[in-house]
Amino acid sequence: MIEGYDCVFGSRFGGGGKITDTSQKRKLISRGGTILTNALMGTNLSDMTSGFELFSARRAEIHPQ
């Protein structure tokens, strides 16, 4: 954000991220949720179920269509 980005995303599945004390079933559910959400929304993010997301106030404003 300091560098001027409007949004920043973090993930357990990206470089430096990790999952501890979690069952294989839970990891599979998280991966499946990410795959399904990306397919439905046309996105390509690595952690759609519990990642870190930060948006600038300008980008987070809702504009009526």
Side-chain angles (χ1 to χ4, degrees):
M1 301 301 288
I2 293 172
E3 296 170 358
Y5 294 103
D6 285 325
C7 56
V8 177
F9 297 94
S11 172
R12 304 166 288 178
F13 303 126
K18 63 182 176 179
I19 301 174
T20 58
D21 298 326
T22 302
S23 70
Q24 286 298 104
K25 179 180 177 182
R26 181 67 190 132
K27 290 178 187 177
L28 182 62
I29 290 169
S30 292
R31 289 281 190 187
T34 293
I35 291 167
L36 179 61
T37 304
N38 278 325
L40 292 172
M41 298 187 71
T43 54
N44 188 26
L45 299 174
S46 62
D47 194 352
M48 296 294 282
T49 59
S50 186
F52 170 82
E53 302 166 1
L54 180 64
F55 296 91
S56 67
R58 179 175 60 100
R59 185 56 62 198
E61 289 179 7
I62 298 173
H63 299 281
Q65 298 294 329

